[in-house]
């Protein structure tokens, strides 16, 4: 494996404090050289300006090579078979788990491979549902829901961290409650004491909004949940790719994140679960590879993480995700975060003063990422996106799987620019330039 | 951009035809008899990828040999392509009988399927009128759905009127 484009800076990461310098021009050029897709051009030879990393990030060559190399040299079934290839494949698979666990401050056996963040969040919700249905024995009693128990979410959630809880509430008789956003796009922490009650059993919340880029202060949510003995479930899909994340320090019970947003492949994500909780949670998907003894009548289950990994796993993708985590770690997540902060400031500067353009979410620089969604007065987001596409600027338009958040701000769709490690000031300038011409083109300015 | 957003489309989007308040009495009811030989029905369609919505109500006169579209009213929100398309739909179908409506709807779908090449058929071009401006939309598969949103609502609303069964 080759090293990423820049040397690892001295010093460790400091979660929440981005005092480290952003990438220098030379460093950023070197990082970009690691991403082959960035060199392609679009229609009419236009330069690609990729500002849709919040939807999915591009992949460095080392990640692409890792997947290719696994199939070329190592491919075999893992955790079964006694031949050399099976051993090597299993080693690669478990090494990836270690790389990813270390990256987010977890023990190896606290990381369960899933298909995506969505699958990880559903695993928790369905695991609790299975406990409520009487599965999992005495150990799973701690998860059992009674009618009238409460599940707490927030208005900022991606549908992936909302709909599974709606479904769990519907199946169990639990009641769904939520924390609102204020007009600036920050979560109403003042509501926590009212919304989180003695009946609350789960508090599920996003670490970073995929629409506004606002970072949630995790500690008040964890404290509110702890006070009443509720479980915390963190959607870390948007934070793990951009911030130093230490799940043990954050002290959440479960967390979900996905590979493809953190420079890794599609088809692989992870569920983090505190060790003793994973040991108590009943399985969700059952079948091969997750059992100990199977008779015609029943089965006993393997300890976590295997208990939650039934069937053939996404081995090549997991191996490549391990390499993606290592790539990010070598860049240094404190520097990645500093780069992201730098771009957030540039993005906000580019849009706040544009006439007829309204930022959905915080316009201050504290606790936010380089994800900026805007509403253009008089022009629908799809039309904005088309105009940007004509200039080679790739952004996301629509509701970004967060309809309640959009409804909260009285819009149905927005235009979102989101950055990653390879995003440059030139990218932001191209976005601003194209965006500034939109209202004129559509005859509303 | 200019190929996709013809002036005709921008004009329709800014000053849409047939857009206006729907009959509040009809809300919730699939079919409403609105007098002797007349009926109306509405359909609500959503494009789940962007949240665009249209609620379209079609009114028919059933006194003749074939049902006649007497009015199309609609409400909705969405991109200029989807909004302009419903406006053009209004102009094309109001006053037409059902076979003519089916024909123009089918021709419009064919146009969008040409990936921007156009139908190369003078009769079709005459028939489509302002809808010819949507030729360029076919080049952008992601936007074809936008252009069809209102037409899907029309198809559904016509089924809901119940007249489809009658002419068979």
């Amino acid at each position: 494996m080759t090293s990423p484009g820049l040397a690892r800076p001295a010093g460790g990461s400091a979660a929440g404090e981005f005092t480290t310098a952003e990438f220098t021009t030379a460093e950023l050029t070197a990082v970009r050289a690691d991403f082959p897709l960035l060199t392609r051009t679009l229609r009419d030879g236009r330069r690609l300006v990729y500002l849709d990393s919040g939807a999915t990030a591009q992949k460095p060559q080392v990640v692409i090579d890792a997947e290719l190399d696994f199939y070329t040299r190592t491919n075999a079934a893992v955790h079964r078979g006694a031949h050399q290839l099976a051993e090597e494949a299993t080693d690669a698979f478990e090494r990836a788990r270690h790389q990813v666990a270390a990256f987010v401050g977890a023990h190896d056996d606290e990381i369960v491979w899933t298909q995506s963040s969505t699958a990880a969040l559903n695993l928790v919700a369905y695991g609790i549902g299975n406990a409520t249905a009487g599965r999992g024995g005495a150990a799973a009693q701690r998860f059992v829901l009674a009618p009238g128990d409460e599940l707490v979410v927030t208005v900022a959630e991606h549908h992936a961290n909302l709909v599974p809880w709606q479904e769990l509430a519907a199946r169990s008789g639990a009641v769904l409650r939520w924390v609102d956003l204020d007009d600036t796009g920050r979560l109403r922490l003042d509501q926590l004491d009212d919304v989180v009650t003695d009946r609350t059993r789960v508090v599920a919340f996003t670490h970073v909004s995929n629409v506004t880029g606002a970072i949630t202060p995790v500690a008040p949510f964890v404290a509110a949940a702890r006070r009443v003995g509720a479980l915390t479930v963190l959607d870390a899909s948007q934070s793990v790719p951009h911030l130093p994340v230490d799940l043990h320090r954050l002290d959440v019970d479960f967390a979900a994140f996905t590979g493809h947003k953190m420079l890794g492949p599609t088809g692989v994500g992870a569920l983090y679960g505190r060790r003793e909780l994973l040991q108590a949670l009943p399985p969700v998907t059952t079948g091969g590879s997750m059992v100990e003894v199977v008779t015609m009548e029943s089965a006993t289950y393997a300890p976590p993480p295997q208990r939650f990994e039934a069937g053939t796993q996404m081995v090549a993708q997991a191996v490549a995700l391990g390499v993606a985590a290592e790539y990010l770690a070598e860049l240094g997540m404190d520097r990645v975060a500093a780069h992201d902060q730098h771009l957030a400031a540039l993005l906000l500067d580019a849009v706040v003063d544009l006439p007829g353009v309204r930022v959905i979410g915080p316009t201050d620089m504290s606790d936010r990422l380089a994800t900026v969604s805007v509403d253009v007065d008089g022009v629908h987001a799809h039309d904005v996106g088309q105009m940007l596409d004509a200039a080679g600027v790739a952004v996301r338009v629509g509701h970004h799987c967060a309809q309640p958040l959009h409804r909260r701000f009285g819009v149905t769709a927005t235009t979102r620019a989101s950055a990653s490690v390879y995003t440059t000031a030139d990218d932001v300038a191209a976005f601003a330039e194209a965006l500034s011409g939109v209202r004129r083109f559509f005859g509303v300015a | 951009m200019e190929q996709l957003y013809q002036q005709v489309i921008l004009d329709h989007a800014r000053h849409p035809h047939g857009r206006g308040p729907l009959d509040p009495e009809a809300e919730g009811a699939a079919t409403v008899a609105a007098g002797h030989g007349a009926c109306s029905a509405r359909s609500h369609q959503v494009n789940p990828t962007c949240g665009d919505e249209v609620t379209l109500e079609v009114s028919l006169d059933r006194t003749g040999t074939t049902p006649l579209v007497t009015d199309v009213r609609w409400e909705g929100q969405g991109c200029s392509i989807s909004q302009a398309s419903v406006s053009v739909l209004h102009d094309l179908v109001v006053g037409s009988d059902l076979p003519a409506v089916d024909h123009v709807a089918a021709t419009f779908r064919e146009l969008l399927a040409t990936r921007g090449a156009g139908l190369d058929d003078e009769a079709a071009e005459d028939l489509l009128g302002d809808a010819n401006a949507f030729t360029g939309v076919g080049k952008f598969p992601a936007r074809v759905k936008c252009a069809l949103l209102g037409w899907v609502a029309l198809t559904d609303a016509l089924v809901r009127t119940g007249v489809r069964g009658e002419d068979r």
Side-chain angles (χ1 to χ4, degrees), chain A residues 50 52-59 259-261 264 266 416 418 422:
Chain A
Y50 190 75
D52 199 16
S53 297
T56 196
Q58 298 305 338
K59 322 302 175 197
H260 72 101
K261 293 186 200 292
T266 54
R416 180 185 73 183
S418 54
Y422 41 72

Side-chain angles (χ1 to χ4, degrees), chain A residues 122-137 140 143-144 168 171 281-286 308:
Chain A
N122 273 280
L123 198 167
V124 180
Y126 276 91
I128 294 171
N130 285 350
T132 304
R135 302 299 301 155
F143 299 114
V144 173
L168 178 60
R171 288 195 305 275
L281 192 70
V284 173
T285 304
T286 54
F308 304 102

Side-chain angles (χ1 to χ4, degrees), chain A residues 6 12 36 51 115 178 223 261 274 285 302 422 427-428:
Chain A
L6 63 115
L51 287 171
Q115 188 228 317
W178 53 87
K261 293 186 200 292
R274 193 192 296 280
T285 304
Y422 41 72
D427 292 339
V428 176

Side-chain angles (χ1 to χ4, degrees), chain B residues 10-160:
Chain B
L10 295 177
D11 288 346
H12 272 280
R14 227 167 295 151
H15 307 288
H17 304 170
R19 187 182 175 129
L22 304 177
D23 178 7
E25 302 261 308
E27 199 177 343
T31 311
V32 173
H36 189 67
C39 70
S40 68
R42 72 169 58 166
S43 172
H44 175 234
Q45 296 292 327
V46 177
N47 181 347
T49 58
C50 58
D52 285 6
E53 289 182 58
V54 63
T55 306
L56 181 148
E57 190 174 291
V58 61
S59 301
L60 297 177
D61 175 359
R62 293 189 294 186
T63 51
T65 47
T66 55
L68 190 77
V69 174
T70 53
D71 200 11
V72 169
R73 309 299 303 171
W74 61 278
E75 288 177 336
Q77 48 178 350
C79 64
S80 53
I81 302 289
S82 73
Q83 303 295 288
S85 175
V86 198
S87 174
V88 168
L89 175 155
H90 170 272
D91 294 358
L92 286 175
V93 307
V94 172
S96 297
D97 67 7
L98 216 49
V101 168
D102 289 345
H103 181 53
V104 74
T107 309
F108 185 62
R109 284 173 189 270
E110 278 170 37
L111 174 74
L112 289 175
T114 64
R115 290 201 157 248
L119 286 170
D120 196 23
D121 172 347
E122 218 166 290
E125 282 171 20
D126 287 349
L127 175 70
L128 289 177
D130 278 2
N132 286 299
F134 289 84
T135 305
V137 177
K139 275 193 181 171
F140 300 88
R143 305 306 296 278
V144 169
K145 261 189 184 175
C146 310
L148 285 177
L149 189 65
W151 295 84
V152 171
L154 175 68
T155 304
D156 184 46
L158 286 172
V159 169
R160 286 167 185 268

Side-chain angles (χ1 to χ4, degrees), chain A residues 43 380-384 386-390 396-400 403 412-413 441-444, chain B residues 1-2 4-5 10 14 47-53 77-81 139-140 142-143 146:
Chain A
R43 282 185 286 266
H380 189 274
H382 257 191
D383 295 326
V384 176
Q386 200 79 51
M387 183 100 184
L388 297 186
D389 179 57
R396 175 82 184 268
V397 295
H399 51 59
H400 323 310
Q403 289 182 23
T412 51
F441 181 87
F442 286 97
V444 293
Chain B
M1 276 302 279
E2 285 74 13
L4 178 61
Y5 293 100
L10 295 177
R14 227 167 295 151
N47 181 347
T49 58
C50 58
D52 285 6
E53 289 182 58
Q77 48 178 350
C79 64
S80 53
I81 302 289
K139 275 193 181 171
F140 300 88
R143 305 306 296 278
C146 310

